[in-house]
Structures are given as structure tokens and as C-alpha cells.
Amino acid sequence: MCLDRRAAPETRASQADGGRYDRPMDPLKEHPLEKDPLEKHPIEEHPIEEHPLGRNHDFRALLSTQGVSSIGDAVSFTALPLLVFALTGSGAAMGVVGALQTLPDLFFGMIAGALADRSNRKKMMFVADSGRAVLTALIPISVWLGGPTLAVILVVAAPMSILRSLFLAGYTAAVPAIVGRSQLARANALFEAVYSTGYIIGPGVAGILSTAIGPGPTLGIDAVSFLLSAFGLVLVRRPLIAPTDRPTRHILVDIREGIEFIVARPTLRSAIAFWGIVSVTTAALVPALTVDVIRDLGLQAWALGLLLTVYGGGTVTGALLISRRRRGSAGPLLLGGNLARGLLLVAIGVVGRLELLLPLGFVAGIADSAVLITYLTLRTAHSPDELLGRIGSTARTISLGLQPVGMLAGGLLIDATNGATTIVAMGAVVAGLSIAFAPIRALRHAQLNPP
């Protein structure tokens, strides 16, 4: 229910070595002489061979597994708000569940990044996806057994968030290691296109199945997708282990190093702050859309699924349009695209008719995808390899860890007014943020290929 579904595509990162305080003894770390079934090569530094992406086996393997996972994510993205709303009828309850899904990022996000910069990234992602498969499966099982489903959702929300932090930390650093920096922008765009394709298929499937069998059993699809994604990681040949020549240090020293690097660089500092505030502002957008479509407009679950499917089509289109853009200025697209996104949200909240919501949702998807890919590419391009995990996780601590504030505020606003009014308010703030950040020269003139 976390609106920032980019929790999944938000490029995932990590690196190697240990995980405790004095002597790294993290359970994710292997002994150099132990054989890891996930590893097909000895533990050593492998130079990145920047093959064309179409001939890069590891890129194709990761792309295909995340494509499968994206369908499950999209099903959950649609079905979970419907399930919570069906159980409670409350926007505030949806806000509470959303807050529980993101609050652990505030406390665990930067630790996950430090672990990623010390450890086996592929193993981190495998463990995280396997755990999420089990936890997600508990929700439909509870529905089938007639158990306390809302209590189960509340119990699994925080552990799911911790595992997501581990996965994202490993993924963010793994992508540059697999594709090379010269092809990073194109790889990000293709990942987003594939992920967004899942959001063309998933919401429609979720809407139809939620209407036919209920949203609870529909969530079983997401559990299966996590399992398939976990086993798909075995197909990745590159070890994806962080540099082993780093000195053993207290984990808090590593976390502080990542924060200090961001603070000292105006481009990173302003881009992360910008995206973080935007993400918090729109945190409750899916609950607001759910209430607007189901209660305010009196439509059925299939209508929400259709709207999110069309939005997914827009994000695919935006990703393909920007996939060839590897260099140049990021500021105009970041700020201008976000301004357009805010204005489109205002329009979505105002029109109140499904036939008008669909084209607006499609264009909003294009703008959203262009802004996201530009942000991810800009952030990675300005981050050194040895800090990728920590910088990515520090950024997510802001964009995801503070989302409970947006979730709770949005839920209260939904109950005090309605879904449409909440969407309009979000759009107005998002558009205003683009105007507020425009005078920041470091962001306005940020380059995708820094010298």
C-alpha cells in the first residue's frame, strides 16, 4: 500500500564484507572458503565488461526476474488497499497500514545500505525476496482460514519493509556492477519499462480477481512472484560481492561517511531532498485514489484496476521515451516533469469521471516515469562505487522512511474530506515543490554525466 511503489524499482544496491560492529560477522557474509550455492564463481573482484545490454546475460536474467516480480507488486499495489478498505472502510486505517510499511525504512534503511557496501549483494536480495514470499503468503492464508486478517497485515507490514530495504540496498549497487556506468541510464529506463509493464497487467488482473474472489486471495499472486524472483537470482552469474579491501570499521562510521558525502555535494543533496519531499507528499495517493473511485464515484474494483493499468501504460511509454538519454542536463526534466505531474494530479482530483481520468492517468504516468528515471540516473552518476549502497539507502530513508507522515496525514485528510480533495491537495503541493526548488542552481544545472 505504500504509494511509492518505486520501493521496488528504486534501483537496488549493496556491497560486501561483514555486518557487525567490531569484527564483521553478519549472517549474510560467507567465509572465503565456504561454497555458496548462489555463487557460480570464486569470490574475487571481477572487472565489469560493458557488453551491449542485449548480450549481457546477467542483465537479461535480472530484468526478466524483476519483470515477473513487477506483476506481483502491481497486483498487491491494487489489491491490498482494496482489502484494507473492505475490512475497515477507513482512509485512516489505510494510512496506518501504509505507515507501518514504510516506518522501518526510517530506522533500518541506512543500516541496510552499510550492510550492502560490506556484503554479498546477491545473497541479500535472495534472502529478502524469499522472506517476502513467506510473509505475503500469510495474508491470503489468513483470509482462507477466516483468521484475523487485518491483524496479520499489521504484523507482517514492518518485517516486509525491513526485507524490502535489504533488497533495495543490494539492487542499487548491483545494477552498475552488472551493466557498467556508461549504460546505466539505458538500463534504468529498461528496468522501469519492464517494471511498468507489470503495472499494465497487474492492476487489471487484481481488479478483476478482487471483484470475483476478493482482494485477499488475489494477494497470493504477489507471494508467488517473490518466490520466482528469488530463484531467478540464481541465474545471475556475476558474484556481486562488494570490494574486499575496505578496512573493518564500526558500521556507524560507514553510515556517517555516506551522509557526509551527500551533505558535501550540492547536486546530490538537493536532488535527494527534492525527491524525498515529493515522495512524502504523495505517500497516500493510492488510498486517496481507492476512496475516490470506490466510494466517491461509486465504481467497482475493476475501475481502480483499469485506472492503474492505464497509468502503468504511461510509465512504460515514458521509460521508452527517455531510455536513450544518457547525458545532458537533468534539472529541466526533473523539475519540469514534476511540475506537470502535480498539475495532472490536480486535474485527476477535479474531473470526477472515469473516461477523463484514464487519459489523465496515462499522461501522469509518462511524467512520473521521466522524473523517476532522471532522478535515479542522476543520483547514481554522482555516487562513487564504494558508496552506492549507503547513498541509495540514505536517500530512501528520506523518501520512504518519512512516508508515514504523508500516509497518516493523507489518511486523516481523506476521512475529513474525500479522496478527490486529497488528490487535489497533493497535486498542488507537488507542483509548488518544483517551483520552490527551481532557484537551486545545483539542481537546475545538474548533469547526468558529471565530469
Side-chain angles (χ1 to χ4, degrees):
M1 237 182 45
C2 161
L3 172 68
D4 195 355
R5 68 169 179 90
R6 316 297 181 179
E10 248 249 18
T11 341
R12 328 188 178 182
S14 283
Q15 289 187 24
D17 186 16
R20 289 203 187 216
Y21 290 160
D22 298 320
R23 176 66 185 158
M25 291 293 292
D26 187 79
L28 291 176
K29 183 190 174 187
E30 62 188 359
H31 188 279
L33 299 180
E34 292 175 347
K35 188 172 182 179
D36 176 8
L38 283 177
E39 297 301 340
K40 296 183 169 60
H41 298 289
I43 298 175
E44 60 182 8
E45 302 273 346
H46 288 260
I48 299 173
E49 299 180 18
E50 299 194 11
H51 298 300
L53 296 181
R55 293 194 289 112
N56 187 325
H57 171 274
D58 290 344
F59 172 75
R60 295 200 310 269
L62 188 59
L63 188 69
S64 60
T65 60
Q66 292 313 297
V68 172
S69 182
S70 72
I71 296 176
D73 288 343
V75 168
S76 181
F77 183 68
T78 308
L80 187 56
L82 289 170
L83 177 58
V84 175
F85 189 62
L87 291 171
T88 67
S90 169
M94 289 192 287
V96 169
V97 173
L100 288 175
Q101 286 182 303
T102 54
L103 187 60
D105 288 284
L106 183 62
F107 302 102
F108 190 76
M110 287 188 283
I111 296 175
L115 291 175
D117 284 341
R118 294 175 169 220
S119 58
N120 183 326
R121 298 160 181 173
K122 185 160 59 174
K123 186 178 288 188
M124 283 183 71
M125 291 189 285
F126 181 86
V127 169
D129 267 352
S130 299
R132 290 192 289 177
V134 173
L135 292 175
T136 303
L138 293 177
I139 300 175
I141 289 173
S142 173
V143 173
W144 288 327
L145 296 179
T149 302
L150 183 60
V152 172
I153 293 172
L154 295 174
V155 167
V156 304
M160 286 278 287
S161 176
I162 292 173
L163 291 173
R164 183 190 65 222
S165 293
L166 285 172
F167 184 95
L168 291 176
Y171 181 91
T172 302
V175 171
I178 288 173
V179 305
R181 286 184 173 271
S182 68
Q183 304 196 73
L184 186 60
R186 179 161 173 74
N188 279 340
L190 291 176
F191 274 117
E192 176 64 11
V194 168
Y195 195 84
S196 296
T197 299
Y199 276 76
I200 296 176
I201 302 170
V205 171
I208 293 171
L209 289 180
S210 293
T211 302
I213 64 175
T218 301
L219 287 169
I221 296 175
D222 198 19
V224 173
S225 76
F226 277 130
L227 193 62
L228 293 175
S229 177
F231 283 106
L233 289 167
V234 178
L235 301 175
V236 177
R237 297 169 180 168
R238 182 172 289 275
L240 301 178
I241 298 175
T244 56
D245 57 351
R246 296 176 59 241
T248 301
R249 301 183 299 187
H250 195 294
I251 195 170
L252 295 180
V253 175
D254 282 353
I255 292 173
R256 185 180 65 196
E257 184 180 14
I259 296 173
E260 289 175 347
F261 187 89
I262 293 171
V263 171
R265 279 143 183 91
T267 298
L268 271 179
R269 184 175 67 234
S270 57
I272 290 173
F274 174 73
W275 180 256
I277 299 173
V278 168
S279 297
V280 172
T281 300
T282 57
L285 180 54
V286 169
L289 283 171
T290 302
V291 173
D292 185 34
V293 171
I294 303 299
R295 186 173 69 190
D296 300 347
L297 300 182
L299 301 175
Q300 295 185 7
W302 64 263
L304 177 64
L306 179 60
L307 176 58
L308 295 178
T309 294
V310 170
Y311 168 84
T315 60
V316 171
T317 303
L320 294 176
L321 289 174
I322 202 173
S323 64
R324 299 282 179 182
R325 193 169 188 266
R326 304 181 185 180
R327 58 186 67 244
S329 179
L333 190 54
L334 198 62
L335 295 167
N338 192 70
L339 176 62
R341 182 175 174 231
L343 295 176
L344 287 163
L345 286 178
V346 171
I348 287 172
V350 169
V351 294
R353 297 174 59 184
L354 184 61
E355 60 269 28
L356 297 177
L357 288 176
L358 296 179
L360 288 171
F362 181 79
V363 180
I366 295 176
D368 194 6
S369 184
V371 173
L372 173 69
I373 294 171
T374 301
Y375 164 71
L376 291 177
T377 304
L378 177 68
R379 192 185 73 196
T380 307
H382 287 259
S383 304
D385 290 343
E386 64 273 16
L387 290 173
L388 276 169
R390 282 165 284 173
I391 291 173
S393 292
T394 300
R396 282 188 296 275
T397 296
I398 298 171
S399 63
L400 294 180
L402 296 179
Q403 278 197 6
V405 177
M407 280 285 186
L408 294 173
L412 292 173
L413 184 58
I414 290 170
D415 283 351
T417 57
N418 54 41
T421 301
T422 304
I423 295 169
V424 170
M426 289 180 187
V429 175
V430 167
L433 287 171
S434 290
I435 297 171
F437 274 80
I440 300 177
R441 189 177 185 279
L443 186 60
R444 194 172 65 251
H445 297 291
Q447 296 295 309
L448 292 174
N449 52 326

